[in-house]
């Protein structure tokens, strides 16, 4: 029996659904820093471009430098109003400090879908029904950063260049410390108390002259104080730039940048490696769900794709080894990553104390996701502030 194409819209959908193009979708992306910062914001921008490439009918629009210094007085709801006017169907807010604004904007636009990257309003019950949360388990990436830093250090003094102080930044700094301590004690066989791990905070995710401490100066003071590896927790590449300057002066200096897979490119042996976000697969899943009408509010805290953490079509979190990581230490890292993925190693396990000496985890206990997510202090063995003064 012959089948005939009925050109009237509904009948075409019913008889020949494969001939109907997917619904067009516009993504509005709000970036805290410059879209080309070689760090956090560029990783998100490239994640949005990945969706444009992979999902037919998708268009990316964005506004970058959304922070009090670059755009004083401009609120998240105002930005969202503009993105919606330009046709945005899915709005992604890229930074933790946008939490209050994106929640308000979602309430004002109940017919649009919102995703807050790194927030937790779904968990706390504050999120309206059209707002979800998404983040990557960068804790693993920071463990790898600390692990490689401790293996590389000649002095046993590892520094952490931190942004502002909140739950996210505490748990990431603590993860780097735990990775460093594991490498120091379990791989190198050295005493835990001989590892020095110092955290200094600049006050925001990147340098704002007159507002934050200059990250280049902080990194320089680390190296001048005998720390030979600096792990970056900020969005921009000052740590590796300063390390390279010190190396050019004949010093042994290494750095681990953050956020962006290509951060080690051109840095030579200064760069040990970089833990990075790969937002394309996660953003693509969100966009597909909005496009096909299956999106539901949830809290997604996505682990690396352990089969290959550097698979850019699958893994939200990766670690790219740099030229400064020796072949021996690269093999050690690969074994460490495999054990993390197989759950043979859980660094958030007791006994662990908080920085002030009070117990965090007893021997034999492992931290819940909630305990890690909301870490209230740094850990014993870490030098630096646990809270803003």
């Amino acid at each position: 029996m012959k089948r005939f194409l009925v050109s009237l819209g509904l009948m075409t959908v019913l008889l020949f659904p494969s001939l109907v193009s997917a619904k067009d979708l516009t993504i509005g992306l709000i970036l805290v820093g410059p879209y080309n910062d070689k760090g956090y914001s560029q990783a998100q921008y490239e994640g949005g471009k990945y969706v444009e490439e992979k999902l037919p009918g998708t268009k990316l629009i964005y506004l970058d430098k959304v922070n009090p210094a670059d755009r004083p007085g401009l609120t998240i709801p105002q930005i969202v109003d503009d993105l919606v006017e330009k046709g945005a169907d899915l709005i992604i807010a890229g930074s933790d400090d946008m939490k209050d604004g994106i929640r308000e904007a979602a309430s004002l636009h109940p017919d649009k879908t919102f995703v807050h990257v790194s927030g937790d309003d779904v968990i706390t019950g504050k999120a309206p029904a059209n707002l979800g949360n998404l983040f990557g388990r960068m804790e693993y990436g920071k463990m790898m950063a600390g692990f490689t830093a401790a293996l590389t250090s000649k002095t046993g003094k590892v520094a952490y260049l931190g942004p502002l102080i909140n739950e996210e930044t505490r748990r990431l700094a603590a993860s780097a410390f735990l990775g460093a301590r594991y490498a120091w004690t379990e791989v190198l066989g050295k005493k835990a108390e001989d590892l020095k791990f110092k955290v200094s905070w600049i006050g925001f995710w990147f340098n704002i002259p007159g507002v934050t401490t200059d990250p280049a100066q902080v990194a320089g003071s680390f190296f001048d104080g005998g720390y030979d590896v600096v792990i970056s927790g900020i969005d921009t590449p000052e740590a590796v730039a300063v390390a390279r300057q010190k190396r050019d002066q004949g010093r042994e200096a290494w750095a681990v940048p953050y956020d962006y897979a290509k951060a080690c490119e051109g840095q030579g042996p200064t760069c040990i490696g970089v833990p990075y976000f790969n937002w394309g697969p996660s953003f693509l899943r969100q966009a597909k769900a909005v496009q096909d009408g299956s999106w539901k509010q949830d809290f997604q805290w996505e682990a690396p794709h352990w089969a290959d953490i550097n698979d850019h079509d699958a893994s939200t979190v990766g670690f790219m080894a740099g030229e400064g990581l020796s072949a021996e230490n690269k093999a050690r890292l690969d074994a460490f990553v495999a054990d993390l993925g197989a759950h043979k190693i859980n660094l958030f396990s007791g006994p662990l104390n908080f920085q002030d000496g009070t117990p965090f985890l007893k021997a034999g206990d492992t931290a819940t996701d909630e305990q890690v997510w909301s870490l209230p202090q740094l850990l014993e063995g870490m030098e630096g502030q646990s809270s803003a003064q």
Side-chain angles (χ1 to χ4, degrees):
M1 181 174 127
K2 294 183 179 179
R3 302 179 69 187
F4 297 92
L5 173 62
V6 181
S7 60
L8 297 175
L10 178 59
M11 292 301 295
T12 303
V13 172
L14 292 174
L15 294 177
F16 298 93
S18 63
L19 297 180
V20 181
S21 62
K23 175 188 174 184
D24 288 347
L25 180 76
T26 298
I27 301 172
L29 180 60
I30 307 174
L31 303 172
V32 67
Y35 79 97
N36 58 352
D37 65 355
K38 297 183 180 179
Y40 185 76
S41 292
Q42 186 165 349
Q44 291 188 339
Y45 172 77
E46 292 187 2
K49 299 302 286 185
Y50 177 93
V51 179
E52 270 192 331
E53 177 187 341
K54 298 293 183 180
L55 190 61
T58 304
K59 175 185 176 183
L60 175 69
I61 57 177
Y62 72 95
L63 185 67
D64 66 349
K65 302 180 183 180
V66 178
N67 61 76
D70 287 311
R71 301 187 187 276
L74 186 62
T75 68
I76 298 298
Q78 288 172 339
I79 293 167
V80 170
D81 286 345
D82 183 62
L83 292 173
V84 169
E85 187 174 341
K86 292 176 179 176
D89 308 290
L90 167 62
I91 294 94
I92 300 175
S95 181
D96 179 73
D97 60 306
M98 299 175 187
K99 177 186 290 188
D100 293 341
I102 204 64
R103 185 195 312 134
E104 180 183 348
S107 297
L108 294 171
H109 296 277
D111 58 330
K112 303 297 180 181
T113 304
F114 292 78
V115 174
H116 184 203
V117 176
S118 89
D120 58 7
D121 278 350
V122 173
I123 296 175
T124 62
K126 296 179 180 179
N130 60 328
L131 171 63
N133 291 129
L134 168 68
F135 210 48
R137 289 184 185 259
M138 181 49 73
E139 292 71 24
Y140 290 113
K142 290 297 190 182
M143 290 173 188
M144 297 169 204
F147 184 87
T148 57
L151 291 180
T152 303
S153 176
K154 304 299 184 183
T155 65
K157 298 179 72 173
V158 175
Y160 190 92
L161 180 62
L164 46 81
I165 306 175
N166 62 18
E167 292 175 342
E168 175 187 337
T169 60
R170 277 194 296 265
R171 68 177 183 265
L172 293 180
S175 297
F177 166 71
L178 291 174
R181 190 181 68 169
Y182 184 87
W184 189 255
T185 60
E186 301 303 316
V187 178
L188 299 178
K190 299 183 179 184
K191 295 179 181 179
E193 57 268 26
D194 291 337
L195 175 68
K196 306 302 178 186
F197 193 98
K198 182 177 181 179
V199 182
S200 291
W201 311 95
I202 68 165
F204 197 62
W205 296 103
F206 46 82
N207 186 35
I208 302 176
V211 176
T212 67
T213 306
D214 184 343
Q217 290 183 359
V218 175
S221 68
F222 281 142
F223 290 117
D224 293 341
Y227 293 84
D228 58 353
V229 185
V230 175
I231 301 170
S232 179
I234 68 174
D235 289 356
T236 45
E238 283 86 352
V240 72
V242 173
R244 188 171 182 182
Q245 290 172 3
K246 298 297 182 182
R247 180 171 285 273
D248 289 344
Q249 295 167 7
R251 302 270 294 276
E252 287 191 315
W254 296 271
V256 182
Y258 183 34
D259 293 320
Y260 186 54
K262 298 179 181 179
C264 279
E265 289 187 359
Q267 301 302 333
T270 301
C271 196
I272 299 171
V274 56
Y276 65 91
F277 287 108
N278 174 45
W279 293 110
S282 299
F283 286 1
L284 181 60
R285 285 190 288 272
Q286 296 285 334
K288 282 182 175 179
V290 173
Q291 190 181 61
D292 67 22
S294 65
W295 188 91
K296 293 182 180 179
Q297 180 189 71
D298 60 3
F299 172 86
Q300 295 187 17
W301 194 14
E302 299 184 345
H305 176 65
W306 291 114
D308 180 359
I309 64 171
N310 292 313
D311 182 343
H312 281 202
D313 292 318
S315 193
T316 302
V317 173
F319 187 92
M320 194 69 67
E323 187 178 327
L325 189 65
S326 70
E328 180 184 13
N329 288 337
K330 175 62 166 62
R332 289 166 164 171
L333 173 64
D334 290 343
F336 178 65
V337 171
D339 284 346
L340 287 174
H343 305 293
K344 293 180 179 179
I345 298 173
N346 185 337
L347 298 187
F348 276 102
S349 59
L352 279 180
N353 291 334
F354 290 120
Q355 190 181 51
D356 64 4
T358 58
F360 173 33
L361 298 169
K362 296 183 295 184
D365 288 349
T366 57
T368 64
D369 281 354
E370 182 179 359
Q371 285 176 303
V372 175
W373 182 268
S374 58
L375 193 72
Q377 293 185 39
L378 298 180
L379 301 177
E380 192 172 62
M382 302 176 71
E383 179 186 350
Q385 292 177 222
S386 278
S387 59
Q389 299 295 314

